[in-house]
Amino acid sequence: MVEALIQQGNSYAERPETFRDISRFDNQEGMFAAYGAPRIKIRRFTMQTLRDFGMGKSFLEPKITDEIHCIIKEIKKSSGKPVFIKDSLAKSVVNVLCAMMFGKRMDYEDNNFQQLILLAREYLDSIKINKVSLYVPQFLLQLFGNKTVLYRGTLLYRKIFEEVKKFKFDATNNEESFIDVWKNKAAKPNANSEIFNEKKLVQILAELFIAGSGSTSTTLEWALLYLIKHPQVQKKVQMEIDDVIGRDRDPSMSDQKLMPYTESTILEVTRIVTIAPLAAPHRTTEDTMLRSYFIPKNTTILLNLSALHMDPEVFPEPEVFKPERFLTEDNKVKRILEMNPFSLGLFSAYGAPRIAMRRFTLHTLRNFGMGKSILEPQIMSEINYMLEDMKKFEGKPVDLHELLIKSTTNVLCAIKYGKRMDYDDKNFQHLLHLSRDYIASIHVNQLSAHLPKFLTKLLGFQSLAYKGTLLYKKVFDEVKKCQNNSSNIPESFIDVWRAEADKPNANSDIFNDQRLAQVLTELILAGSDSASTTLQWALLYLIKYPEVQKKVQMEIDDVIGRDRYPSMSDQKLMPYTESTLLETTRIVTIAPLAAPHSVTEDTMINGYFIPKNSTVFPNLWGIHMDPEVFPEPEKFKPERFITTDNKVKKTPELNPFGLG
C-alpha cells in the first residue's frame, strides 16, 4: 500500500466513476467526487482549515467539553433505564462538527439538527444496498421503494444548503467557523470562483458530515463494546484516568501523552474493528507497475485495510484484543506504520525544496497552535516565569528587552524542542546572545560588504554569514541532543520533522538534520526578535498615550478581570486591545523593507520592466504611512482598526512582516 499510494501516489490519485457517481450531490464535486487539481486544492484547503480550527488539538476542547456535558445530561434523563447510546453519541459528535462548520452547536431536540443526523445516517446505510441496486432496473427500485445513494446524499446536501443560507457572514469577524474561512477565501481577488463558491462549500460540508459523524461515533460505540467485553482492560483504563485526571475536573488534550494505555486501547479498537475495511476506492491515472504486476490506466483499486490490520506478521495474534501491542517497553505509545484505520495516500506533491520546507514549517507551526489556544499553557507558564524574574528586582528598574526576548524565545523553544529552557541556562543564554549578535550585525554588514577584507579584519568586523553559522552550529548541537520520540504523539517541531523524514517517500535532500537545524535557526531569528520588539514598542506607546492605556486597561478589566489569566477566546471580546496592537505594528513597522525578493524571470508590473534576478524590496513602511490608506498616518490612532459596530476591521494593506 505504501509503495502504491505513497511512492507512486500520483499514479493512484483519482477515484473511480462509480464512487464519484454516488458522491456528486446536486451535480457538485468536492473532495470525494472531484478529480485532478481541483480535488487536491479543495482537500488541501479543507484539511488545513480543520487543523487551524484545532481538529485533534486543544483549541477544540471547550466545544468538546460542552458537548460531553450535554450528552451526560441527556443520558441522566433516562433515570437509570437502558439508553440507546448510538443516538446519543451521533448527536454529540455531529454537534462538535456543527460548532466547527457553523460556529455554534445545535439543540438535540431541534428538528433541523435531527433531520441532518437522519439524512447522514440514511446515506451511509444505503451504500450497502446500493451495491445491489446498481444492477437493478429503475422501475424495480421504485416498486420496492429503494432510494439511490445519490438521492439520499442530495437530500442531505439540500438540507445543509438551507442551513448555509441562514448563516450570517461577517467579513470583519475572526473566522469563527469553516463557513467564515471559506467565504473569506472566496472574497479574495485571486480566488478561483469555480472552486470557492457556495454550492461547492455545501458539498464539502455534506462530505464532512458523512465522513466525520459516521466514523467517530461508530469508533466510540465499538470502544464501549470492547471495554464491556474485556473488563480487565476497562479496569486499567479507568485506573489511568483516575491517576491522571481524577474525578474533580474535565479531561484535557494535554493529558493525552500522560495516558499511554488509554490511547493504545483506542488504537487497538480501530485496528481490530477497521470500520472502513476497504477504505475509499482509488483509480489509476496511468498504466503502472506494482511489484512486477501490470496495472492498466483507469483500474479501480481497493485497499484491504482489514487484511493489513489482521496480518499476524505485523500484529501477532491479530484476533486477540491486546492494547499492549501499541506500547513500548518504557510505556510509551508505539508508532506502527501499518496502522491505517481510515486509509492513506498522496494528494499533493512537493515543489521546490524551499516551497516544500516553508509549507511544512508553516503547517507544523499552525498544528502546534501558533496563534491558537493550544499554545496557551506554554504562554501562561512563560508569563509566570517572567513575572517571577521581574520580582527579583524588587521595584528597581528592569531591562524589559532582556526579559521579553527570553520569554518569547522560550515559547519558541517549547514548540521546537518540546520543553522550555531555564533563563539562567548557559546554552539558552548563548542562543540568545548569538541570535541578537546576528540581528545587530545586519546593519554593520551593509557597510562592511563594500570594504576590502583586510580592513574588515583590521576593524574587527565579522561577516553576517559567520555569525549566522555560529548560531546554526549551536542549534545543531541542541538538535543532536534531542532523542527520537518513540510515541506517535509529536511533542515538538523536531518530532514532526523526523517523523516526516522517516516516511518511505521522504526527500532526504530536504528532510535531514542539517536542514532541520537551518529551519530552527531561521525560526529563532524571525520569531523571538519580531515578537519581543513588537511588545516593547506596544509598551512604549501605551506609556506615551495614557488615554489609550486607560481604554485598554478598562477593556481588560471588563472582559478578564483580575482573578484569572487571559485566554485566546477573550480576543474577539476585546476589539480595542487588538486594534491597539495592530496600530502599533503599523506605526512602527519593525521590518520596514521586509525580506528582499529576487525576480525569477523578466516581468512587467504597472508598465515597468523588471529584468530577471533583480532584487525587490517591499516598502511596507511606505504602505503603512500612506495617507490615502491610513489618514493622518503619523498619529497613533487604534480607532482606525475598529468598525462602527465596535469590531476589528480587516485592512489588507496592513502587512507588518511582509507578504508573498
Side-chain angles (χ1 to χ4, degrees):
M1 289 184 193
V2 169
E3 189 176 331
L5 299 186
I6 302 296
Q7 296 173 4
Q8 300 181 44
N10 290 327
S11 300
Y12 297 82
E14 297 301 347
R15 303 293 188 195
E17 283 299 320
T18 51
F19 182 81
R20 294 177 63 215
D21 286 344
I22 65 170
S23 52
R24 195 190 283 119
F25 311 137
D26 216 25
N27 211 31
Q28 290 298 312
E29 296 181 338
M31 289 188 294
F32 294 168
Y35 61 92
R39 180 168 73 90
I40 292 170
K41 192 163 188 175
I42 291 169
R43 186 182 187 276
R44 186 177 295 155
F45 174 87
T46 302
M47 297 308 293
Q48 187 54 55
T49 303
L50 291 178
R51 288 191 192 105
D52 288 350
F53 269 106
M55 191 65 100
K57 304 289 179 185
S58 63
F59 183 59
L60 263 185
E61 269 185 30
K63 295 177 176 66
I64 295 171
T65 302
D66 286 348
E67 214 50 57
I68 289 170
H69 290 160
C70 289
I71 191 175
I72 291 171
K73 188 177 178 182
E74 188 81 1
I75 291 170
K76 283 180 179 177
K77 289 179 183 177
S78 65
S79 303
K81 296 175 185 175
V83 177
F84 185 43
I85 200 75
K86 183 183 179 74
D87 269 354
S88 297
L89 288 173
K91 287 176 183 176
S92 185
V93 169
V94 169
N95 236 338
V96 173
L97 288 171
C98 284
M100 290 177 65
M101 293 190 286
F102 305 117
K104 61 178 182 179
R105 71 178 301 276
M106 300 175 80
D107 190 86
Y108 288 166
E109 306 304 324
D110 184 278
N111 286 333
N112 290 318
F113 180 65
Q114 292 180 341
Q115 200 171 350
L116 280 171
I117 291 175
L118 176 65
L119 290 171
R121 185 178 297 159
E122 285 183 345
Y123 175 85
L124 289 168
D125 289 343
S126 67
I127 289 175
K128 304 160 194 172
I129 301 169
N130 193 68
K131 289 177 182 177
V132 178
S133 64
L134 281 172
Y135 306 99
V136 178
Q138 287 294 311
F139 77 89
L140 270 182
L141 287 176
Q142 291 172 0
L143 183 66
F144 289 120
N146 184 26
K147 301 290 194 299
T148 65
V149 177
L150 184 60
Y151 172 82
R152 294 182 187 277
T154 303
L155 289 180
L156 174 63
Y157 169 90
R158 289 174 181 170
K159 185 63 191 171
I160 292 174
F161 212 155
E162 290 175 16
E163 295 301 315
V164 170
K165 289 287 185 189
K166 297 176 193 173
F167 186 86
K168 292 180 181 178
F169 172 64
D170 182 0
T172 63
N173 73 9
N174 289 318
E175 296 188 338
E176 296 170 5
S177 69
F178 187 93
I179 299 176
D180 285 331
V181 182
W182 184 280
K183 291 194 171 182
N184 273 331
K185 178 77 173 177
K188 289 183 178 178
N190 64 333
N192 185 340
S193 59
E194 291 182 10
I195 294 177
F196 292 101
N197 56 61
E198 198 162 60
K199 288 185 177 180
K200 195 78 79 178
L201 165 63
V202 177
Q203 173 73 21
I204 300 300
L205 295 178
E207 291 174 356
L208 290 175
F209 245 90
I210 292 163
S213 59
S215 61
T216 309
S217 58
T218 304
T219 300
L220 289 171
E221 290 171 53
W222 278 107
L224 290 172
L225 180 62
Y226 271 94
L227 287 174
I228 293 167
K229 189 178 178 184
H230 299 274
Q232 74 283 6
V233 174
Q234 182 185 152
K235 186 178 179 181
K236 287 182 182 179
V237 168
Q238 187 63 60
M239 283 176 64
E240 192 173 63
I241 290 171
D242 290 342
D243 289 345
V244 175
I245 302 168
R247 305 290 179 107
D248 301 322
R249 70 171 175 88
D250 292 316
S252 164
M253 284 293 289
S254 59
D255 298 322
Q256 185 181 5
K257 59 186 177 185
L258 303 175
M259 303 173 69
Y261 191 81
T262 303
E263 187 176 355
S264 66
T265 301
I266 295 169
L267 289 171
E268 178 68 344
V269 170
T270 59
R271 179 200 69 82
I272 203 165
V273 172
T274 314
I275 61 173
L278 295 179
H282 289 244
R283 174 173 62 85
T284 49
T285 58
E286 59 188 356
D287 291 347
T288 186
M289 296 290 292
L290 184 65
R291 296 195 177 183
S292 75
Y293 288 93
F294 172 71
I295 304 176
K297 182 178 178 179
N298 292 327
T299 301
T300 296
I301 306 292
L302 296 174
L303 313 177
N304 195 344
L305 299 181
S306 182
L308 182 64
H309 293 166
M310 298 302 284
D311 184 346
E313 292 186 10
V314 180
F315 301 101
E317 297 181 291
E319 70 288 348
V320 178
F321 185 70
K322 287 169 51 177
E324 292 78 6
R325 69 175 84 243
F326 288 99
L327 290 174
T328 62
E329 290 181 1
D330 55 348
N331 201 36
K332 290 187 176 180
V333 179
K334 187 194 301 179
R335 280 197 189 108
I336 299 180
L337 180 64
E338 292 80 3
M339 180 67 184
N340 294 290
F342 306 110
S343 183
L344 69 165
L346 183 66
F347 291 94
S348 60
Y350 288 114
R354 187 184 70 84
I355 295 172
M357 282 194 299
R358 186 176 187 275
R359 183 178 297 156
F360 177 88
T361 301
L362 290 175
H363 285 197
T364 303
L365 290 176
R366 288 192 192 108
N367 293 344
F368 269 104
M370 195 63 98
K372 302 291 180 184
S373 63
I374 187 174
L375 261 185
E376 276 185 22
Q378 288 97 320
I379 294 171
M380 288 299 104
S381 172
E382 212 49 56
I383 288 172
N384 284 331
Y385 280 111
M386 188 174 76
L387 291 175
E388 285 301 313
D389 223 41
M390 287 179 72
K391 286 177 184 177
K392 293 176 184 176
F393 291 87
E394 299 177 344
K396 295 174 185 175
V398 179
D399 182 1
L400 214 50
H401 176 78
E402 279 289 324
L403 287 176
L404 287 172
I405 202 162
K406 284 178 182 177
S407 186
T408 52
T409 301
N410 238 336
V411 173
L412 287 172
C413 285
I415 296 172
K416 292 183 291 186
Y417 305 122
K419 62 179 182 179
R420 72 178 300 277
M421 299 176 80
D422 190 88
Y423 289 166
D424 296 319
D425 182 275
K426 287 183 179 178
N427 289 318
F428 181 63
Q429 291 180 340
H430 197 190
L431 278 173
L432 289 179
H433 170 73
L434 290 171
S435 64
R436 189 180 299 149
D437 201 25
Y438 177 87
I439 291 166
S441 66
I442 289 175
H443 310 294
V444 179
N445 193 68
Q446 291 172 354
L447 168 64
S448 63
H450 303 284
L451 295 176
K453 284 192 175 181
F454 79 90
L455 257 184
T456 61
K457 288 181 181 178
L458 186 65
L459 294 171
F461 287 157
Q462 290 173 328
S463 73
L464 199 58
Y466 173 80
K467 295 192 177 186
T469 302
L470 289 180
L471 175 60
Y472 167 85
K473 288 177 178 176
K474 185 63 189 170
V475 173
F476 203 0
D477 289 343
E478 296 300 317
V479 169
K480 286 192 285 187
K481 293 177 190 175
C482 289
Q483 297 179 347
N484 284 338
N485 184 358
S486 58
S487 119
N488 67 348
I489 309 165
E491 297 175 4
S492 68
F493 185 93
I494 294 175
D495 286 343
V496 181
W497 183 283
R498 286 179 172 168
E500 186 73 17
D502 288 342
K503 291 181 179 177
N505 67 323
N507 184 339
S508 59
D509 289 336
I510 296 174
F511 292 101
N512 54 58
D513 271 5
Q514 288 83 357
R515 194 85 74 167
L516 168 60
Q518 175 71 25
V519 172
L520 294 178
T521 302
E522 291 169 1
L523 289 176
I524 287 175
L525 292 170
S528 60
D529 187 70
S530 60
S532 60
T533 304
T534 302
L535 288 171
Q536 289 174 71
W537 278 107
L539 290 172
L540 181 62
Y541 272 93
L542 287 175
I543 293 167
K544 188 177 179 183
Y545 295 93
E547 71 282 4
V548 174
Q549 181 185 152
K550 187 177 179 181
K551 287 182 183 178
V552 169
Q553 188 63 60
M554 284 176 64
E555 192 173 62
I556 290 171
D557 290 342
D558 288 344
V559 175
I560 302 168
R562 304 291 178 106
D563 301 321
R564 70 170 175 88
Y565 286 119
S567 163
M568 286 292 287
S569 59
D570 296 322
Q571 184 181 4
K572 60 186 175 184
L573 304 174
M574 303 173 70
Y576 191 80
T577 303
E578 186 174 355
S579 67
T580 302
L581 290 171
L582 290 173
E583 178 67 345
T584 301
T585 60
R586 179 200 69 82
I587 203 166
V588 172
T589 314
I590 62 172
L593 294 179
H597 291 244
S598 177
V599 184
T600 58
E601 59 187 358
D602 291 347
T603 186
M604 296 286 293
I605 184 164
N606 289 350
Y608 290 93
F609 172 70
I610 303 177
K612 183 179 178 180
N613 293 328
S614 296
T615 298
V616 177
F617 289 91
N619 189 350
L620 302 182
W621 184 87
I623 297 171
H624 292 168
M625 299 304 284
D626 184 347
E628 292 186 11
V629 180
F630 301 102
E632 299 181 293
E634 72 287 348
K635 291 188 177 178
F636 186 71
K637 290 167 54 175
E639 292 79 8
R640 70 174 85 244
F641 289 101
I642 294 182
T643 63
T644 52
D645 56 348
N646 202 36
K647 289 186 176 180
V648 178
K649 188 194 300 180
K650 284 182 178 164
T651 309
E653 292 84 1
L654 182 68
N655 293 289
F657 306 111
L659 69 166

